Amino acid sequence: MQIIENYIGGKLLKPVSGEYLDNFNPATGSVYSQIPDSDQRDVEMAVEAAKNAFKKWSETPYEQRSRILCKIADLIEENLDRLALAESTDNGKPLKLATKVDIPRASANFRFYGTAIMHYASKSHYMEGNAVNYTMREPIGIAGCISPWNLPLYLFTWKIAPALAAGNCVVAKPSEVTPMTAYLLSEICIEAGLPDGVLNIVHGLGPKVGQAITEHTEIPVISFTGGTVTGKNIAAIAAPMFKKMSLELGGKNPNIIFADCDFDEALKTTVLSSFANQGQICLCGSRIFVQREIYDKFKDAFVEKVKKLTVGDPLEQVNLGAVVSKPHQEKVLSYVELAKEEGGVVLAGGNKVTLEGRCKEGYFIEPTIIEGLDYKCRTNQEEIFGPVVTLTPFDTEEEALEMANSTQYGLAGTIWTSNLKKAHRVAHELKSGIVWINCWLLRDLRTPFGGMKNSGVGREGGFEALDFFTEPKNICVKL
Ligand code: TXE
């Protein structure tokens, strides 16, 4: 049984409580490792370590910070196979997905911000009255980074890398459901020579460790990705303390398919945007709106393709692995029941999958397509975050937009059409932070990432993340 430890002040430490939590392999349903059940006392130690490290790290020449971050990126790459296996085992995602996407992106995050910091400079301008303004971008201090389970190392490093690059120290908490690659990252940071206390990783439950990070008076900046309810909770605590916050929350993303689209391309990509990572990506398109002229043709082809997707042992060549936990499996399946109560017809899937052999107790769900639902019903309004999508026909552009914009969320949207004007027009009308036209999940790290409405507050990515993790200070000099 592998035991995970906290990473505080450069050392791997047991939790103060001495208690551990079980960590499950979702593909087998068995406990395979244990993680520290940390609490406020461990967070306190991490904050102390970060405070002690801050002055030196923030004054470390940026070339040197860059070298260390790029070294971490190299080591992630060198450990690709080990990290991908750990991610797949911890999360249930297909090993090939972790190998192709999660781990390379984690390395890319460190390399991107390790090099971005070399080009990140203060701004200055002359003003009337013979004066010059310049604006310093100073590291803020200790950043609190809290991340979810769906893309564990990828989203963990997405926050940590810019925070460190900008000269902050970090107290970070990965999801207790998928802690393993964050633990392996602490070993990598030690090997890369990251100075003690610059990054501290405290494992444990959200309401204990996450809450203690959020409440801590010496952590002035919080970056969080996770559920909207948790985000609300964090905002309620952090806002009266005037903390700087970036919240990346849920989504219920529309996928609008016009009759004039490249049918085969739209079909192929929609299978992916619906079911990649078992539908557990905040950017997955869970509501598919198809123009009536091609609705039946699309439906038949989509159902046929989805029925051919394989669900199985993530270590084998499968399309879908396990969903992340038993409670999550139950939650997702409860939405299928709700959809039926709301009048939905299940066109494909809808059930849990029981496998033979080592995965017989794993948490698997068939890729599921539902049609016949009103766009305002709960199934079409609430985030399911699993392999469940709905199909809805529309006649006009206005109708598609009305339905697409009808939820509390506004994270991402996808548009399929060959009409350039229409594509841009609809993109401008979609209330969402990210729009893909004739593609999905083409991610460029230089672009701002984040959502509108209840999908969050603030943007990360590119220089936006460096702006977020620094405090602008304007200095005006009379010449
Ligand atoms: O997320 P949580 P959960 C959505 C998805 C999912 C739902 C709930 O719909 O079904 O959220 O998932 C930490 N103070 N997304 O419950 O709890 C927690 O330990 C501070 C969408 O697993 O939000 C973990 O590290 N932190 C999403 C992190 O918050 C707290 C990805 C996220 O977990 C805390 C994940 C507290 N009081 C879920 N309580 C996306 N948008 O990508 C928990 N945490």
Short mmCIF file of all heavy atoms in Angstrom, two decimals, residues 426-456:
data_model
loop_
_atom_site.label_atom_id
_atom_site.label_comp_id
_atom_site.label_asym_id
_atom_site.label_seq_id
_atom_site.Cartn_x
_atom_site.Cartn_y
_atom_site.Cartn_z
N VAL A 426 -22.89 34.03 -34.20
CA VAL A 426 -23.33 33.19 -33.08
C VAL A 426 -22.28 33.20 -31.96
O VAL A 426 -22.61 33.28 -30.78
CB VAL A 426 -23.63 31.75 -33.57
CG1 VAL A 426 -23.98 30.83 -32.41
CG2 VAL A 426 -24.78 31.77 -34.57
N ALA A 427 -21.01 33.17 -32.35
CA ALA A 427 -19.94 33.21 -31.34
C ALA A 427 -20.06 34.46 -30.48
O ALA A 427 -19.89 34.42 -29.26
CB ALA A 427 -18.58 33.15 -32.01
N HIS A 428 -20.39 35.59 -31.13
CA HIS A 428 -20.51 36.84 -30.36
C HIS A 428 -21.71 36.82 -29.43
O HIS A 428 -21.69 37.45 -28.38
CB HIS A 428 -20.59 38.03 -31.31
CG HIS A 428 -19.25 38.38 -31.86
ND1 HIS A 428 -18.39 39.26 -31.24
CD2 HIS A 428 -18.58 37.93 -32.94
CE1 HIS A 428 -17.27 39.33 -31.93
NE2 HIS A 428 -17.36 38.53 -32.97
N GLU A 429 -22.75 36.08 -29.81
CA GLU A 429 -23.97 36.07 -29.00
C GLU A 429 -23.93 35.03 -27.88
O GLU A 429 -24.73 35.10 -26.95
CB GLU A 429 -25.20 35.77 -29.89
CG GLU A 429 -25.55 36.89 -30.87
CD GLU A 429 -25.89 38.20 -30.16
OE1 GLU A 429 -26.52 38.14 -29.09
OE2 GLU A 429 -25.49 39.27 -30.65
N LEU A 430 -23.03 34.07 -27.98
CA LEU A 430 -22.96 33.05 -26.93
C LEU A 430 -22.41 33.67 -25.66
O LEU A 430 -21.37 34.33 -25.68
CB LEU A 430 -22.04 31.90 -27.35
CG LEU A 430 -22.66 30.75 -28.12
CD1 LEU A 430 -21.59 29.69 -28.40
CD2 LEU A 430 -23.82 30.11 -27.36
N LYS A 431 -23.09 33.42 -24.56
CA LYS A 431 -22.61 33.95 -23.27
C LYS A 431 -21.66 32.92 -22.67
O LYS A 431 -22.04 32.14 -21.80
CB LYS A 431 -23.79 34.18 -22.33
CG LYS A 431 -24.84 35.15 -22.85
CD LYS A 431 -24.50 36.58 -22.46
CE LYS A 431 -25.52 37.56 -22.99
NZ LYS A 431 -25.42 37.78 -24.46
N SER A 432 -20.45 32.91 -23.21
CA SER A 432 -19.50 31.97 -22.62
C SER A 432 -18.08 32.48 -22.81
O SER A 432 -17.80 33.26 -23.73
CB SER A 432 -19.69 30.57 -23.21
OG SER A 432 -19.15 30.48 -24.47
N GLY A 433 -17.22 32.06 -21.89
CA GLY A 433 -15.84 32.57 -21.88
C GLY A 433 -15.00 32.04 -23.03
O GLY A 433 -14.01 32.66 -23.43
N ILE A 434 -15.37 30.89 -23.57
CA ILE A 434 -14.59 30.26 -24.63
C ILE A 434 -15.55 29.76 -25.71
O ILE A 434 -16.58 29.15 -25.38
CB ILE A 434 -13.81 29.03 -24.08
CG1 ILE A 434 -12.88 29.46 -22.95
CG2 ILE A 434 -13.03 28.32 -25.18
CD1 ILE A 434 -12.54 28.36 -21.98
N VAL A 435 -15.24 30.03 -26.97
CA VAL A 435 -16.07 29.50 -28.06
C VAL A 435 -15.15 28.80 -29.07
O VAL A 435 -14.14 29.37 -29.48
CB VAL A 435 -16.85 30.63 -28.78
CG1 VAL A 435 -17.67 30.06 -29.93
CG2 VAL A 435 -17.75 31.38 -27.80
N TRP A 436 -15.51 27.60 -29.44
CA TRP A 436 -14.79 26.91 -30.52
C TRP A 436 -15.67 26.87 -31.75
O TRP A 436 -16.85 26.50 -31.66
CB TRP A 436 -14.46 25.47 -30.10
CG TRP A 436 -13.25 25.39 -29.23
CD1 TRP A 436 -11.96 25.64 -29.60
CD2 TRP A 436 -13.19 25.02 -27.85
NE1 TRP A 436 -11.11 25.47 -28.53
CE2 TRP A 436 -11.84 25.08 -27.45
CE3 TRP A 436 -14.14 24.64 -26.92
CZ2 TRP A 436 -11.42 24.78 -26.16
CZ3 TRP A 436 -13.72 24.34 -25.63
CH2 TRP A 436 -12.38 24.41 -25.26
N ILE A 437 -15.12 27.25 -32.88
CA ILE A 437 -15.84 27.16 -34.15
C ILE A 437 -15.22 26.02 -34.96
O ILE A 437 -14.01 26.03 -35.24
CB ILE A 437 -15.76 28.49 -34.93
CG1 ILE A 437 -16.45 29.60 -34.11
CG2 ILE A 437 -16.40 28.35 -36.30
CD1 ILE A 437 -16.31 30.99 -34.70
N ASN A 438 -16.04 25.06 -35.30
CA ASN A 438 -15.62 23.90 -36.10
C ASN A 438 -14.44 23.13 -35.49
O ASN A 438 -13.56 22.62 -36.20
CB ASN A 438 -15.29 24.31 -37.54
CG ASN A 438 -16.53 24.86 -38.23
OD1 ASN A 438 -17.65 24.47 -37.92
ND2 ASN A 438 -16.33 25.79 -39.16
N CYS A 439 -14.40 23.09 -34.18
CA CYS A 439 -13.37 22.31 -33.48
C CYS A 439 -13.78 22.22 -32.02
O CYS A 439 -14.78 22.84 -31.62
CB CYS A 439 -11.99 22.95 -33.61
SG CYS A 439 -11.91 24.62 -32.93
N TRP A 440 -13.02 21.47 -31.26
CA TRP A 440 -13.27 21.42 -29.82
C TRP A 440 -11.96 21.13 -29.09
O TRP A 440 -11.15 20.32 -29.56
CB TRP A 440 -14.30 20.33 -29.47
CG TRP A 440 -14.52 20.18 -27.99
CD1 TRP A 440 -15.20 21.05 -27.17
CD2 TRP A 440 -14.05 19.12 -27.15
NE1 TRP A 440 -15.18 20.59 -25.87
CE2 TRP A 440 -14.48 19.42 -25.83
CE3 TRP A 440 -13.30 17.96 -27.37
CZ2 TRP A 440 -14.21 18.59 -24.74
CZ3 TRP A 440 -13.03 17.15 -26.29
CH2 TRP A 440 -13.48 17.45 -24.99
N LEU A 441 -11.77 21.77 -27.98
CA LEU A 441 -10.61 21.56 -27.10
C LEU A 441 -9.27 21.85 -27.77
O LEU A 441 -8.24 21.31 -27.38
CB LEU A 441 -10.61 20.12 -26.53
CG LEU A 441 -9.95 19.95 -25.17
CD1 LEU A 441 -10.64 20.76 -24.09
CD2 LEU A 441 -9.90 18.50 -24.74
N LEU A 442 -9.29 22.68 -28.80
CA LEU A 442 -8.01 23.17 -29.32
C LEU A 442 -7.56 24.23 -28.32
O LEU A 442 -8.13 25.31 -28.27
CB LEU A 442 -8.19 23.82 -30.69
CG LEU A 442 -8.10 22.93 -31.91
CD1 LEU A 442 -8.10 23.77 -33.17
CD2 LEU A 442 -6.82 22.08 -31.86
N ARG A 443 -6.58 23.88 -27.50
CA ARG A 443 -6.20 24.78 -26.42
C ARG A 443 -4.84 25.40 -26.70
O ARG A 443 -3.88 24.70 -27.01
CB ARG A 443 -6.15 24.03 -25.08
CG ARG A 443 -7.50 23.76 -24.48
CD ARG A 443 -8.09 24.98 -23.76
NE ARG A 443 -7.25 25.40 -22.65
CZ ARG A 443 -6.86 26.67 -22.48
NH1 ARG A 443 -7.19 27.61 -23.34
NH2 ARG A 443 -6.11 27.01 -21.44
N ASP A 444 -4.78 26.70 -26.60
CA ASP A 444 -3.52 27.43 -26.73
C ASP A 444 -3.27 28.10 -25.39
O ASP A 444 -4.12 28.87 -24.91
CB ASP A 444 -3.68 28.47 -27.85
CG ASP A 444 -2.40 29.23 -28.11
OD1 ASP A 444 -1.65 29.49 -27.14
OD2 ASP A 444 -2.14 29.58 -29.28
N LEU A 445 -2.15 27.79 -24.77
CA LEU A 445 -1.93 28.28 -23.40
C LEU A 445 -1.83 29.79 -23.32
O LEU A 445 -1.89 30.37 -22.24
CB LEU A 445 -0.66 27.64 -22.81
CG LEU A 445 -0.71 26.13 -22.62
CD1 LEU A 445 0.55 25.64 -21.93
CD2 LEU A 445 -1.93 25.72 -21.80
N ARG A 446 -1.69 30.46 -24.48
CA ARG A 446 -1.57 31.93 -24.45
C ARG A 446 -2.92 32.62 -24.30
O ARG A 446 -2.98 33.82 -24.09
CB ARG A 446 -0.91 32.43 -25.74
CG ARG A 446 0.54 32.01 -25.85
CD ARG A 446 1.07 32.21 -27.24
NE ARG A 446 0.39 31.37 -28.21
CZ ARG A 446 0.77 31.25 -29.48
NH1 ARG A 446 1.81 31.92 -29.93
NH2 ARG A 446 0.11 30.46 -30.30
N THR A 447 -4.01 31.87 -24.44
CA THR A 447 -5.32 32.52 -24.45
C THR A 447 -5.93 32.55 -23.04
O THR A 447 -5.62 31.71 -22.20
CB THR A 447 -6.29 31.74 -25.37
OG1 THR A 447 -6.39 30.40 -24.88
CG2 THR A 447 -5.81 31.74 -26.80
N PRO A 448 -6.79 33.56 -22.79
CA PRO A 448 -7.45 33.61 -21.47
C PRO A 448 -8.46 32.47 -21.33
O PRO A 448 -9.23 32.20 -22.25
CB PRO A 448 -8.16 34.95 -21.47
CG PRO A 448 -8.28 35.36 -22.88
CD PRO A 448 -7.20 34.68 -23.66
N PHE A 449 -8.44 31.83 -20.18
CA PHE A 449 -9.31 30.69 -19.93
C PHE A 449 -10.20 30.97 -18.73
O PHE A 449 -9.72 31.35 -17.67
CB PHE A 449 -8.46 29.45 -19.65
CG PHE A 449 -9.28 28.22 -19.38
CD1 PHE A 449 -9.63 27.37 -20.40
CD2 PHE A 449 -9.72 27.95 -18.09
CE1 PHE A 449 -10.40 26.25 -20.15
CE2 PHE A 449 -10.50 26.83 -17.83
CZ PHE A 449 -10.83 25.98 -18.87
N GLY A 450 -11.50 30.79 -18.90
CA GLY A 450 -12.41 30.98 -17.78
C GLY A 450 -13.81 31.20 -18.27
O GLY A 450 -14.06 31.25 -19.47
N GLY A 451 -14.74 31.32 -17.32
CA GLY A 451 -16.14 31.37 -17.71
C GLY A 451 -16.87 32.62 -17.27
O GLY A 451 -16.38 33.40 -16.45
N MET A 452 -18.06 32.78 -17.86
CA MET A 452 -18.97 33.85 -17.47
C MET A 452 -20.01 33.29 -16.50
O MET A 452 -20.08 32.09 -16.29
CB MET A 452 -19.72 34.38 -18.69
CG MET A 452 -18.84 35.05 -19.71
SD MET A 452 -19.87 35.65 -21.07
CE MET A 452 -18.60 36.33 -22.12
N LYS A 453 -20.86 34.14 -16.04
CA LYS A 453 -21.98 33.78 -15.15
C LYS A 453 -21.48 32.87 -14.01
O LYS A 453 -20.41 33.11 -13.47
CB LYS A 453 -23.11 33.15 -15.98
CG LYS A 453 -23.62 34.08 -17.09
CD LYS A 453 -24.96 33.64 -17.63
CE LYS A 453 -24.85 32.57 -18.69
NZ LYS A 453 -26.14 32.18 -19.26
N ASN A 454 -22.23 31.80 -13.71
CA ASN A 454 -21.83 30.97 -12.57
C ASN A 454 -20.70 30.01 -12.89
O ASN A 454 -20.38 29.11 -12.10
CB ASN A 454 -23.04 30.19 -12.05
CG ASN A 454 -24.05 31.10 -11.39
OD1 ASN A 454 -23.87 32.32 -11.39
ND2 ASN A 454 -25.10 30.53 -10.85
N SER A 455 -20.09 30.16 -14.06
CA SER A 455 -18.92 29.32 -14.38
C SER A 455 -17.64 29.91 -13.81
O SER A 455 -16.57 29.32 -13.98
CB SER A 455 -18.78 29.14 -15.89
OG SER A 455 -19.78 28.29 -16.37
N GLY A 456 -17.76 31.05 -13.17
CA GLY A 456 -16.56 31.50 -12.48
C GLY A 456 -16.29 32.98 -12.54
O GLY A 456 -17.05 33.76 -13.10
#
